[in-house]
PDB file of all heavy atoms in Angstrom:
ATOM      1  N   VAL A 110      74.812 169.868  66.381  1.00  0.00           N
ATOM      2  CA  VAL A 110      75.024 168.907  67.460  1.00  0.00           C
ATOM      3  C   VAL A 110      75.375 169.635  68.761  1.00  0.00           C
ATOM      4  O   VAL A 110      74.748 169.407  69.815  1.00  0.00           O
ATOM      5  CB  VAL A 110      76.205 167.917  67.120  1.00  0.00           C
ATOM      6  CG1 VAL A 110      76.554 167.062  68.323  1.00  0.00           C
ATOM      7  CG2 VAL A 110      75.845 167.008  65.943  1.00  0.00           C
ATOM      8  N   HIS A 114      73.468 169.744  72.288  1.00  0.00           N
ATOM      9  CA  HIS A 114      73.944 168.779  73.321  1.00  0.00           C
ATOM     10  C   HIS A 114      75.167 169.245  74.142  1.00  0.00           C
ATOM     11  O   HIS A 114      75.596 168.546  75.060  1.00  0.00           O
ATOM     12  CB  HIS A 114      74.275 167.417  72.666  1.00  0.00           C
ATOM     13  CG  HIS A 114      73.112 166.732  72.050  1.00  0.00           C
ATOM     14  ND1 HIS A 114      72.027 166.225  72.799  1.00  0.00           N
ATOM     15  CD2 HIS A 114      72.734 166.548  70.750  1.00  0.00           C
ATOM     16  CE1 HIS A 114      71.137 165.720  72.011  1.00  0.00           C
ATOM     17  NE2 HIS A 114      71.528 165.944  70.744  1.00  0.00           N
ATOM     18  N   GLY A 115      75.736 170.434  73.755  1.00  0.00           N
ATOM     19  CA  GLY A 115      76.885 170.938  74.513  1.00  0.00           C
ATOM     20  C   GLY A 115      78.194 170.209  74.195  1.00  0.00           C
ATOM     21  O   GLY A 115      78.242 169.421  73.240  1.00  0.00           O
ATOM     22  N   ALA A 117      82.241 169.675  73.115  1.00  0.00           N
ATOM     23  CA  ALA A 117      83.088 170.136  72.061  1.00  0.00           C
ATOM     24  C   ALA A 117      83.063 169.122  70.915  1.00  0.00           C
ATOM     25  O   ALA A 117      82.715 167.952  71.142  1.00  0.00           O
ATOM     26  CB  ALA A 117      84.527 170.299  72.555  1.00  0.00           C
ATOM     27  N   PRO A 118      83.450 169.560  69.672  1.00  0.00           N
ATOM     28  CA  PRO A 118      83.351 168.621  68.540  1.00  0.00           C
ATOM     29  C   PRO A 118      84.050 167.293  68.770  1.00  0.00           C
ATOM     30  O   PRO A 118      83.519 166.239  68.448  1.00  0.00           O
ATOM     31  CB  PRO A 118      84.062 169.401  67.414  1.00  0.00           C
ATOM     32  CG  PRO A 118      83.839 170.826  67.759  1.00  0.00           C
ATOM     33  CD  PRO A 118      83.820 170.919  69.242  1.00  0.00           C
ATOM     34  N   ARG A 119      85.222 167.387  69.444  1.00  0.00           N
ATOM     35  CA  ARG A 119      86.020 166.174  69.660  1.00  0.00           C
ATOM     36  C   ARG A 119      85.241 165.091  70.443  1.00  0.00           C
ATOM     37  O   ARG A 119      85.461 163.888  70.280  1.00  0.00           O
ATOM     38  CB  ARG A 119      87.320 166.511  70.365  1.00  0.00           C
ATOM     39  CG  ARG A 119      88.431 165.544  70.112  1.00  0.00           C
ATOM     40  CD  ARG A 119      89.686 165.986  70.888  1.00  0.00           C
ATOM     41  NE  ARG A 119      90.506 166.964  70.181  1.00  0.00           N
ATOM     42  CZ  ARG A 119      91.333 166.676  69.172  1.00  0.00           C
ATOM     43  NH1 ARG A 119      91.429 165.433  68.792  1.00  0.00           N
ATOM     44  NH2 ARG A 119      92.035 167.593  68.618  1.00  0.00           N
ATOM     45  N   ASP A 120      84.312 165.535  71.318  1.00  0.00           N
ATOM     46  CA  ASP A 120      83.542 164.588  72.133  1.00  0.00           C
ATOM     47  C   ASP A 120      82.692 163.649  71.311  1.00  0.00           C
ATOM     48  O   ASP A 120      82.265 162.585  71.814  1.00  0.00           O
ATOM     49  CB  ASP A 120      82.614 165.342  73.093  1.00  0.00           C
ATOM     50  CG  ASP A 120      83.315 166.334  73.955  1.00  0.00           C
ATOM     51  OD1 ASP A 120      84.508 166.130  74.184  1.00  0.00           O
ATOM     52  OD2 ASP A 120      82.685 167.290  74.450  1.00  0.00           O
ATOM     53  N   TYR A 121      82.400 164.025  70.103  1.00  0.00           N
ATOM     54  CA  TYR A 121      81.462 163.225  69.310  1.00  0.00           C
ATOM     55  C   TYR A 121      82.128 162.402  68.195  1.00  0.00           C
ATOM     56  O   TYR A 121      81.459 161.700  67.448  1.00  0.00           O
ATOM     57  CB  TYR A 121      80.457 164.174  68.620  1.00  0.00           C
ATOM     58  CG  TYR A 121      79.639 164.987  69.642  1.00  0.00           C
ATOM     59  CD1 TYR A 121      80.029 166.236  70.044  1.00  0.00           C
ATOM     60  CD2 TYR A 121      78.542 164.404  70.302  1.00  0.00           C
ATOM     61  CE1 TYR A 121      79.321 166.964  70.985  1.00  0.00           C
ATOM     62  CE2 TYR A 121      77.830 165.074  71.266  1.00  0.00           C
ATOM     63  CZ  TYR A 121      78.226 166.348  71.596  1.00  0.00           C
ATOM     64  OH  TYR A 121      77.551 167.023  72.566  1.00  0.00           O
ATOM     65  N   VAL A 122      83.477 162.483  68.144  1.00  0.00           N
ATOM     66  CA  VAL A 122      84.208 161.718  67.116  1.00  0.00           C
ATOM     67  C   VAL A 122      84.017 160.220  67.361  1.00  0.00           C
ATOM     68  O   VAL A 122      84.119 159.738  68.477  1.00  0.00           O
ATOM     69  CB  VAL A 122      85.720 162.078  67.169  1.00  0.00           C
ATOM     70  CG1 VAL A 122      86.541 161.121  66.329  1.00  0.00           C
ATOM     71  CG2 VAL A 122      85.951 163.506  66.687  1.00  0.00           C
ATOM     72  N   GLY A 123      83.710 159.531  66.283  1.00  0.00           N
ATOM     73  CA  GLY A 123      83.444 158.072  66.372  1.00  0.00           C
ATOM     74  C   GLY A 123      82.010 157.806  65.973  1.00  0.00           C
ATOM     75  O   GLY A 123      81.367 158.625  65.303  1.00  0.00           O
ATOM     76  N   LYS A 126      77.900 158.607  68.968  1.00  0.00           N
ATOM     77  CA  LYS A 126      78.197 159.344  70.199  1.00  0.00           C
ATOM     78  C   LYS A 126      77.230 160.541  70.369  1.00  0.00           C
ATOM     79  O   LYS A 126      77.271 161.208  71.372  1.00  0.00           O
ATOM     80  CB  LYS A 126      79.644 159.923  70.154  1.00  0.00           C
ATOM     81  CG  LYS A 126      80.731 158.843  70.019  1.00  0.00           C
ATOM     82  CD  LYS A 126      81.419 158.637  71.332  1.00  0.00           C
ATOM     83  CE  LYS A 126      82.469 157.493  71.243  1.00  0.00           C
ATOM     84  NZ  LYS A 126      83.640 157.917  70.522  1.00  0.00           N
ATOM     85  N   ILE A 164      82.426 161.637  62.371  1.00  0.00           N
ATOM     86  CA  ILE A 164      81.391 161.551  63.359  1.00  0.00           C
ATOM     87  C   ILE A 164      80.199 160.952  62.688  1.00  0.00           C
ATOM     88  O   ILE A 164      79.782 161.436  61.635  1.00  0.00           O
ATOM     89  CB  ILE A 164      81.032 162.971  63.914  1.00  0.00           C
ATOM     90  CG1 ILE A 164      82.270 163.507  64.618  1.00  0.00           C
ATOM     91  CG2 ILE A 164      79.842 162.975  64.839  1.00  0.00           C
ATOM     92  CD1 ILE A 164      82.328 164.987  64.663  1.00  0.00           C
TER      93      ILE A 164
END
Side-chain angles (χ1 to χ4, degrees):
V110 170
H114 297 290
R119 205 180 276 282
D120 302 338
Y121 300 96
V122 169
K126 302 256 177 72
I164 296 154

